[in-house]
């Protein structure tokens, strides 16, 4: 992202009137995750129907912002697949449609797919961000925080979100980045360590984005952020930019691009 996206918002179910002077949300009894369905908040049971109503508002807000931005598709970035157990699949929140999506990093997805993917993210079955070059993004944060950026003002989308009970505030996404913000490095952990604890890292120097894209088989639009496992074949090129001598008999290596 070399051209800064002009308009950025925080879109949440949290009323900004309940924040203190430092921006901290002051209401203590507030659900932040679908796993809390069935618990009591403010003397009332948080039901599945309550959750689905809010989730629907978030997903519809995404779609309205996409429409207002004149976009038909989005690209998946920083995809993290979470191990889903058989008991997870028995959950009321797990849907058959989730098994039909064979998602991969850098894929372009349609509006219908975006709805399903967003649902999976909000229900903590996967994690990713949505992106469209230097024009639009959707960032998902912790505790049901969502950030949207667009070069359009999206006045209709803002109104629709408010009518659905959400709060739209002008706010820079903490996940937003520009190329100048981005650091790229190699990290490594010992193969024998099941916890995958990082034992070393080294920042990479001047490598053209197109070279990264070629190495990791990414599209011309991918900003080369996120994590990618490095193979021995890929290391032949990367080693030229590192002081550490890569040793695949001892270590596993990961490329990390982060802001």
């Amino acid at each position: 992202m070399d051209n800064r996206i002009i308009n950025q918002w925080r879109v949440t179910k949290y009323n900004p009137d309940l924040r203190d002077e430092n921006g901290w949300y002051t209401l203590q009894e507030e659900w932040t995750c679908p796993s809390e369905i069935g618990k009591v908040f403010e003397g009332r049971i948080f039901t599945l129907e309550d959750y689905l109503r809010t989730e629907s508002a978030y997903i519809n807000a995404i779609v309205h912002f996409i429409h207002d931005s004149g976009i038909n598709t989005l690209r998946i970035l920083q995809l993290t697949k979470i191990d889903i157990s058989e008991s997870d699949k028995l959950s009321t929140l797990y849907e058959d449609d989730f098994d039909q999506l064979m998602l991969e990093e850098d894929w372009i997805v349609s509006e219908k797919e975006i709805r399903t993917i967003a649902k999976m993210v909000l229900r903590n079955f996967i994690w990713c961000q949505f992106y469209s070059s230097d024009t639009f993004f959707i960032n998902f944060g912790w505790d049901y925080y969502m950030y949207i950026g667009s070069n359009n003002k999206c006045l209709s989308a803002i109104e629709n979100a408010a009518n659905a009970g959400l709060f739209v505030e002008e706010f820079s996404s903490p996940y937003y980045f520009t190329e100048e913000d981005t650091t790229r490095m190699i990290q490594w952990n010992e193969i024998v360590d099941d916890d995958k604890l990082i034992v070393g890292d080294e920042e990479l120097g001047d490598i053209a984005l197109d070279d990264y894209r070629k190495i990791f088989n990414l599209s011309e639009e991918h900003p080369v952020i996120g994590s990618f496992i490095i193979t021995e074949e890929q290391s032949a090129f990367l080693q030229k930019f590192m002081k550490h001598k890569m040793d695949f008999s001892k270590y596993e290596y990961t490329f990390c691009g982060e802001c």
Side-chain angles (χ1 to χ4, degrees):
M1 287 184 182
D2 296 319
N3 302 313
R4 190 161 190 86
I5 291 180
I6 300 170
N7 307 297
Q8 299 188 33
W9 304 274
R10 179 169 64 188
V11 182
T12 71
K13 64 189 185 70
Y14 305 113
N15 188 338
D17 291 342
L18 298 176
R19 296 185 183 277
D20 64 19
E21 64 275 10
N22 297 313
W24 293 102
Y25 195 67
T26 59
L27 185 62
Q28 297 299 311
E29 293 193 20
E30 175 87 44
W31 70 268
T32 59
C33 178
S35 63
E36 294 175 312
I37 292 171
K39 294 184 178 180
V40 176
F41 297 94
E42 296 285 298
R44 182 175 176 274
I45 295 176
F46 174 46
T47 67
L48 175 62
E49 290 73 20
D50 294 331
Y51 170 75
L52 293 175
R53 188 181 307 112
T54 302
E55 178 189 83
S56 179
Y58 272 68
I59 294 173
N60 287 334
I62 289 171
V63 172
H64 282 297
F65 273 96
I66 290 172
H67 290 173
D68 269 15
S69 299
I71 294 170
N72 297 316
T73 60
L74 291 173
R75 189 175 300 275
I76 296 175
L77 291 188
Q78 296 178 279
L79 175 65
T80 301
K81 298 179 180 179
I82 298 169
D83 288 335
I84 299 174
S85 67
E86 289 304 314
S87 60
D88 289 332
K89 291 188 176 184
L90 295 175
S91 165
T92 306
L93 294 176
Y94 196 85
E95 299 181 5
D96 291 341
D97 286 350
F98 298 170
D99 288 326
Q100 306 306 313
L101 281 176
M102 307 301 290
L103 300 176
E104 295 295 339
E105 176 75 13
D106 202 24
W107 277 18
I108 294 176
V109 288
S110 66
E111 179 183 315
K112 181 180 178 181
E113 292 166 325
I114 290 165
R115 284 181 176 273
T116 303
I117 295 166
K119 189 181 293 186
M120 294 179 73
V121 173
L122 293 170
R123 296 183 187 186
N124 297 325
F125 290 122
I126 62 168
W127 189 82
C128 70
Q129 311 286 16
F130 292 119
Y131 169 80
S132 181
S133 190
D134 296 323
T135 60
F136 186 84
F137 68 80
I138 298 172
N139 297 157
F140 296 98
W142 296 102
D143 297 341
Y144 244 68
Y145 277 77
M146 183 168 70
Y147 305 89
I148 298 178
S150 175
N151 282 336
N152 291 358
K153 293 184 178 181
C154 299
L155 298 179
S156 176
I158 292 171
E159 181 180 2
N160 275 289
N163 289 339
L166 299 181
F167 300 92
V168 183
E169 308 162 78
E170 291 186 10
F171 198 94
S172 295
S173 169
Y175 302 93
Y176 183 73
F177 63 93
T178 64
E179 177 58 26
E180 290 74 19
D181 299 327
T182 304
T183 300
R184 298 182 176 90
M185 65 176 63
I186 305 294
Q187 298 178 334
W188 54 93
N189 61 273
E190 294 181 348
I191 293 174
V192 296
D193 183 5
D194 292 336
D195 294 326
K196 309 293 185 183
L197 296 177
I198 301 300
V199 298
D201 61 65
E202 184 174 334
E203 188 171 338
L204 293 167
D206 268 339
I207 302 179
L209 284 179
D210 284 342
D211 287 335
Y212 282 123
R213 290 166 179 146
K214 182 178 180 180
I215 291 170
F216 297 117
N217 195 30
L218 300 172
S219 68
E220 293 181 0
E221 187 178 316
H222 197 290
V224 195
I225 62 168
S227 298
F228 304 94
I229 300 298
I230 297 172
T231 65
E232 289 193 56
E233 183 180 0
Q234 293 165 334
S235 71
F237 173 81
L238 295 169
Q239 182 65 76
K240 295 183 291 186
F241 300 89
M242 297 179 64
K243 294 178 181 178
H244 167 80
K245 179 65 176 177
M246 300 175 85
D247 184 350
F248 283 82
S249 68
K250 294 182 179 179
Y251 304 111
E252 294 175 324
Y253 293 89
T254 304
F255 167 88
C256 296
E258 55 190 24
C259 56

